[in-house]
Amino acid sequence: MNPLNILLLGTQGSGKGTQATRLSEYFNIPTISTGEILREEMEKGTELGKLAQSYINRGNLVPDDVVSSIVRKELSRDKYVDGVILDGYPRNIVQAETLADFFTLNYVLLIDISDEEAVKRVTGRRICPKCGENYHINFNPPKEDEICDKCKTKLESREDTTPEAVETRLKVYHSLTEPLVGFYKDKGILIKINGEQGIAEVFEEILTKLKEHGLHNEEK
Ligand code: AMP
Protein backbone atom coordinates (compact mmCIF):
# COMPACT_ATOMS: atom_id res chain seq x y z
CA MET A 1 0.00 0.00 0.00
CA ASN A 2 1.27 3.45 -0.89
CA PRO A 3 1.37 6.06 1.85
CA LEU A 4 -1.24 8.81 1.66
CA ASN A 5 0.50 12.14 2.15
CA ILE A 6 -1.77 15.17 2.09
CA LEU A 7 -0.96 18.86 2.59
CA LEU A 8 -3.65 21.34 3.62
CA LEU A 9 -3.21 24.90 2.37
CA GLY A 10 -5.32 27.94 3.24
CA THR A 11 -5.33 31.17 5.21
CA GLN A 12 -5.85 31.21 8.95
CA GLY A 13 -9.54 30.65 9.63
CA SER A 14 -9.99 28.51 6.53
CA GLY A 15 -10.69 25.47 8.69
CA LYS A 16 -7.47 23.63 7.79
CA GLY A 17 -6.96 22.38 11.33
CA THR A 18 -10.55 21.12 11.60
CA GLN A 19 -10.38 19.32 8.27
CA ALA A 20 -6.95 17.90 9.14
CA THR A 21 -8.48 16.29 12.23
CA ARG A 22 -11.41 14.89 10.20
CA LEU A 23 -9.13 13.49 7.50
CA SER A 24 -6.86 12.02 10.12
CA GLU A 25 -9.78 10.17 11.73
CA TYR A 26 -11.28 9.09 8.41
CA PHE A 27 -8.09 7.67 6.90
CA ASN A 28 -6.54 6.74 10.24
CA ILE A 29 -3.28 8.55 9.61
CA PRO A 30 -1.66 11.13 11.91
CA THR A 31 -1.38 14.90 11.37
CA ILE A 32 1.57 17.20 11.82
CA SER A 33 0.67 20.81 12.58
CA THR A 34 3.76 23.00 12.89
CA GLY A 35 1.65 25.76 14.49
CA GLU A 36 0.51 23.32 17.21
CA ILE A 37 4.03 22.02 17.80
CA LEU A 38 5.38 25.56 18.14
CA ARG A 39 2.55 26.66 20.47
CA GLU A 40 3.21 23.63 22.71
CA GLU A 41 6.90 24.55 22.85
CA MET A 42 5.91 28.12 23.80
CA GLU A 43 3.67 26.85 26.59
CA LYS A 44 6.45 24.63 27.92
CA GLY A 45 8.84 27.58 27.76
CA THR A 46 11.55 25.65 25.89
CA GLU A 47 14.38 27.35 23.97
CA LEU A 48 12.55 26.60 20.74
CA GLY A 49 9.34 28.05 22.20
CA LYS A 50 11.12 31.22 23.27
CA LEU A 51 12.64 31.64 19.84
CA ALA A 52 9.29 31.08 18.08
CA GLN A 53 7.26 33.34 20.35
CA SER A 54 8.17 36.74 18.93
CA TYR A 55 7.59 35.60 15.35
CA ILE A 56 4.28 33.91 16.12
CA ASN A 57 2.80 36.68 18.24
CA ARG A 58 3.44 39.23 15.51
CA GLY A 59 2.07 36.94 12.81
CA ASN A 60 5.41 36.39 11.05
CA LEU A 61 6.93 33.09 9.95
CA VAL A 62 9.39 31.25 12.17
CA PRO A 63 12.75 30.77 10.31
CA ASP A 64 12.68 28.05 7.63
CA ASP A 65 15.55 25.99 9.00
CA VAL A 66 13.85 25.77 12.41
CA VAL A 67 10.51 24.45 11.10
CA SER A 68 12.06 22.26 8.41
CA SER A 69 14.24 20.45 10.92
CA ILE A 70 11.24 19.88 13.22
CA VAL A 71 9.24 18.35 10.35
CA ARG A 72 12.12 16.29 8.94
CA LYS A 73 12.77 14.74 12.34
CA GLU A 74 9.07 14.11 12.99
CA LEU A 75 8.46 12.53 9.57
CA SER A 76 11.27 10.05 10.12
CA ARG A 77 9.15 8.31 12.79
CA ASP A 78 7.45 4.97 12.06
CA LYS A 79 4.01 6.32 12.85
CA TYR A 80 3.94 8.07 9.46
CA VAL A 81 4.57 4.97 7.29
CA ASP A 82 0.92 4.89 6.11
CA GLY A 83 0.84 8.62 5.47
CA VAL A 84 0.42 12.02 7.07
CA ILE A 85 -1.83 15.07 6.98
CA LEU A 86 0.42 18.13 6.96
CA ASP A 87 -1.19 21.31 8.34
CA GLY A 88 0.85 24.50 8.14
CA TYR A 89 4.06 23.15 6.58
CA PRO A 90 5.39 23.95 4.00
CA ARG A 91 4.48 27.62 4.19
CA ASN A 92 6.72 29.08 1.47
CA ILE A 93 8.63 27.96 -1.61
CA VAL A 94 11.92 27.38 0.24
CA GLN A 95 10.18 25.02 2.68
CA ALA A 96 8.36 23.27 -0.20
CA GLU A 97 11.64 22.67 -2.00
CA THR A 98 13.28 21.42 1.19
CA LEU A 99 10.39 19.01 1.77
CA ALA A 100 10.49 17.78 -1.84
CA ASP A 101 14.12 16.71 -1.29
CA PHE A 102 13.11 14.04 1.20
CA PHE A 103 9.34 13.55 0.98
CA THR A 104 6.62 13.03 -1.67
CA LEU A 105 3.20 14.63 -1.32
CA ASN A 106 0.25 12.95 -3.10
CA TYR A 107 -2.41 15.64 -2.78
CA VAL A 108 -2.48 19.32 -1.83
CA LEU A 109 -5.88 20.62 -0.72
CA LEU A 110 -6.37 24.38 -0.97
CA ILE A 111 -9.21 25.36 1.38
CA ASP A 112 -10.31 28.60 -0.20
CA ILE A 113 -11.99 31.46 1.72
CA SER A 114 -11.98 35.24 1.17
CA ASP A 115 -9.86 37.54 3.32
CA GLU A 116 -13.05 39.13 4.72
CA GLU A 117 -14.28 35.75 5.90
CA ALA A 118 -10.84 34.94 7.37
CA VAL A 119 -10.78 38.17 9.38
CA LYS A 120 -14.32 37.58 10.64
CA ARG A 121 -13.55 34.02 11.70
CA VAL A 122 -10.16 34.60 13.30
CA THR A 123 -10.69 37.88 15.17
CA GLY A 124 -13.82 36.39 16.80
CA ARG A 125 -11.86 33.61 18.49
CA ARG A 126 -11.59 33.81 22.28
CA ILE A 127 -9.85 31.64 24.83
CA CYS A 128 -10.26 31.39 28.59
CA PRO A 129 -6.86 32.21 30.14
CA LYS A 130 -7.69 30.07 33.17
CA CYS A 131 -9.19 26.80 31.89
CA GLY A 132 -8.25 27.00 28.20
CA GLU A 133 -11.85 26.68 26.87
CA ASN A 134 -12.25 28.01 23.31
CA TYR A 135 -15.10 30.25 22.10
CA HIS A 136 -16.06 32.27 19.04
CA ILE A 137 -18.11 35.44 19.49
CA ASN A 138 -20.30 34.61 16.44
CA PHE A 139 -20.15 30.82 16.01
CA ASN A 140 -19.74 29.55 19.57
CA PRO A 141 -20.39 32.44 21.98
CA PRO A 142 -20.25 32.16 25.77
CA LYS A 143 -23.61 32.56 27.55
CA GLU A 144 -22.44 35.82 29.16
CA ASP A 145 -20.62 38.33 26.94
CA GLU A 146 -16.81 37.70 27.00
CA ILE A 147 -17.03 35.53 30.17
CA CYS A 148 -16.07 31.84 30.35
CA ASP A 149 -19.12 29.59 30.92
CA LYS A 150 -17.06 27.13 32.94
CA CYS A 151 -14.97 29.25 35.30
CA LYS A 152 -16.40 32.79 34.86
CA THR A 153 -13.02 34.25 33.89
CA LYS A 154 -12.87 37.15 31.41
CA LEU A 155 -12.04 35.76 27.98
CA GLU A 156 -9.00 36.84 25.99
CA SER A 157 -7.87 36.79 22.36
CA ARG A 158 -4.82 34.68 21.52
CA GLU A 159 -2.03 37.20 20.83
CA ASP A 160 -1.84 36.18 17.18
CA THR A 161 -5.58 36.75 16.64
CA THR A 162 -5.53 40.52 17.31
CA PRO A 163 -6.58 42.52 14.19
CA GLU A 164 -2.96 43.69 13.64
CA ALA A 165 -1.52 40.18 13.79
CA VAL A 166 -4.28 38.80 11.56
CA GLU A 167 -3.58 41.49 8.98
CA THR A 168 0.13 40.61 9.02
CA ARG A 169 -0.64 36.91 8.69
CA LEU A 170 -2.88 37.50 5.67
CA LYS A 171 -0.13 39.58 4.03
CA VAL A 172 2.39 36.84 4.78
CA TYR A 173 -0.02 34.26 3.36
CA HIS A 174 -0.53 36.12 0.09
CA SER A 175 3.12 36.99 -0.48
CA LEU A 176 4.85 33.83 0.79
CA THR A 177 2.38 30.93 1.03
CA GLU A 178 0.11 31.55 -1.96
CA PRO A 179 2.94 30.92 -4.47
CA LEU A 180 2.69 27.28 -3.35
CA VAL A 181 -0.64 27.06 -5.20
CA GLY A 182 1.18 27.45 -8.54
CA PHE A 183 4.06 25.26 -7.34
CA TYR A 184 1.75 22.31 -6.63
CA LYS A 185 -0.55 23.01 -9.58
CA ASP A 186 2.48 22.53 -11.84
CA LYS A 187 3.05 19.15 -10.19
CA GLY A 188 -0.60 18.23 -10.93
CA ILE A 189 -1.52 17.55 -7.30
CA LEU A 190 -3.45 20.69 -6.34
CA ILE A 191 -7.15 20.39 -5.48
CA LYS A 192 -9.21 23.51 -4.74
CA ILE A 193 -11.98 23.27 -2.14
CA ASN A 194 -14.66 25.85 -1.33
CA GLY A 195 -13.99 26.64 2.36
CA GLU A 196 -17.00 28.92 2.75
CA GLN A 197 -19.40 26.11 3.60
CA GLY A 198 -20.20 24.22 6.78
CA ILE A 199 -17.56 21.87 8.21
CA ALA A 200 -19.39 18.71 7.01
CA GLU A 201 -19.90 20.11 3.48
CA VAL A 202 -16.23 21.04 3.18
CA PHE A 203 -15.28 17.53 4.26
CA GLU A 204 -17.70 15.96 1.72
CA GLU A 205 -16.22 18.09 -1.05
CA ILE A 206 -12.73 16.98 -0.05
CA LEU A 207 -13.67 13.28 -0.18
CA THR A 208 -15.48 13.67 -3.52
CA LYS A 209 -12.60 15.52 -5.12
CA LEU A 210 -9.98 13.11 -3.74
CA LYS A 211 -11.92 10.30 -5.43
CA GLU A 212 -12.16 12.27 -8.67
CA HIS A 213 -8.39 12.67 -8.51
CA GLY A 214 -7.86 8.94 -8.26
CA LEU A 215 -7.88 8.18 -4.53
CA HIS A 216 -9.73 4.97 -3.79
CA ASN A 217 -10.62 3.96 -0.26
CA GLU A 218 -8.85 0.63 -0.69
CA GLU A 219 -5.64 2.64 -1.09
CA LYS A 220 -5.94 3.19 2.65
P1 AMP B 1 -0.79 28.09 12.38
O1 AMP B 1 -1.39 27.51 13.60
O2 AMP B 1 -0.49 27.06 11.31
O3 AMP B 1 -1.56 29.25 11.83
O4 AMP B 1 0.64 28.65 12.79
C1 AMP B 1 0.76 29.67 13.77
C2 AMP B 1 2.09 30.39 13.61
O5 AMP B 1 3.17 29.46 13.75
C3 AMP B 1 2.31 31.04 12.25
O6 AMP B 1 1.71 32.31 12.14
C4 AMP B 1 3.83 31.10 12.20
O7 AMP B 1 4.32 32.16 13.00
C5 AMP B 1 4.24 29.80 12.88
N1 AMP B 1 4.38 28.72 11.88
C6 AMP B 1 3.61 27.60 11.75
N2 AMP B 1 4.02 26.84 10.73
C7 AMP B 1 5.08 27.47 10.18
C8 AMP B 1 5.94 27.21 9.08
N3 AMP B 1 5.79 26.12 8.30
N4 AMP B 1 6.93 28.11 8.81
C9 AMP B 1 7.10 29.20 9.56
N5 AMP B 1 6.32 29.52 10.60
C10 AMP B 1 5.31 28.68 10.92
Side-chain angles (χ1 to χ4, degrees):
M1 243 177 344
N2 292 325
L4 176 58
N5 298 324
I6 297 178
L7 164 65
L8 287 164
L9 276 184
T11 56
Q12 65 272 33
S14 61
K16 271 179 298 147
T18 307
Q19 298 299 333
T21 306
R22 288 225 160 183
L23 285 164
S24 167
E25 284 164 4
Y26 186 84
F27 289 114
N28 198 21
I29 51 180
T31 61
I32 297 179
S33 158
T34 41
E36 276 302 313
I37 294 174
L38 293 168
R39 277 190 291 277
E40 275 166 25
E41 295 291 327
M42 274 163 55
E43 268 160 37
K44 285 192 263 173
T46 62
E47 285 306 310
L48 171 59
K50 283 183 207 148
L51 180 137
Q53 189 146 18
S54 57
Y55 296 98
I56 293 185
N57 286 348
R58 291 197 190 97
N60 289 317
L61 295 188
V62 173
D64 294 334
D65 53 341
V66 174
V67 280
S68 289
S69 68
I70 294 174
V71 174
R72 185 191 278 262
K73 190 166 153 219
E74 186 62 24
L75 279 175
S76 69
R77 298 173 61 185
D78 285 348
K79 65 191 268 201
Y80 302 107
V81 285
D82 289 336
V84 67
I85 313 287
L86 286 179
D87 166 15
Y89 179 93
R91 237 268 242 294
N92 60 25
I93 295 283
V94 172
Q95 293 179 14
E97 283 170 346
T98 303
L99 180 71
D101 283 342
F102 66 91
F103 194 76
T104 304
L105 288 170
N106 308 112
Y107 302 99
V108 176
L109 302 171
L110 169 66
I111 318 276
D112 196 35
I113 63 168
S114 66
D115 284 4
E116 292 72 33
E117 182 69 16
V119 169
K120 197 166 96 191
R121 290 185 185 182
V122 178
T123 55
R125 287 180 186 164
R126 296 288 184 275
I127 185 163
C128 174
K130 196 165 167 210
C131 74
E133 189 71 9
N134 287 294
Y135 296 90
H136 191 287
I137 53 170
N138 305 116
F139 309 125
N140 176 28
K143 292 196 185 80
E144 211 181 319
D145 207 20
E146 302 284 345
I147 302 290
C148 180
D149 292 346
K150 289 195 172 158
C151 65
K152 305 293 170 206
T153 305
K154 182 153 175 28
L155 300 178
E156 291 179 358
S157 298
R158 222 169 69 190
E159 254 190 78
D160 65 353
T161 61
T162 59
E164 299 73 32
V166 172
E167 197 182 316
T168 306
R169 287 166 81 194
L170 279 174
K171 277 195 194 134
V172 167
Y173 178 84
H174 290 302
S175 62
L176 299 176
T177 308
E178 211 159 56
L180 295 182
V181 173
F183 182 89
Y184 290 118
K185 208 185 239 173
D186 289 347
K187 295 190 187 299
I189 57 171
L190 187 89
I191 301 175
K192 194 167 155 180
I193 305 290
N194 173 13
E196 293 197 13
Q197 322 176 65
I199 292 170
E201 286 75 20
V202 172
F203 189 63
E204 273 311 306
E205 186 175 328
I206 290 176
L207 292 184
T208 305
K209 290 200 169 156
L210 282 173
K211 277 187 205 133
E212 283 169 12
H213 284 75
L215 178 73
H216 302 292
N217 268 352
E218 58 273 22
E219 241 177 82
K220 273 298 312 152

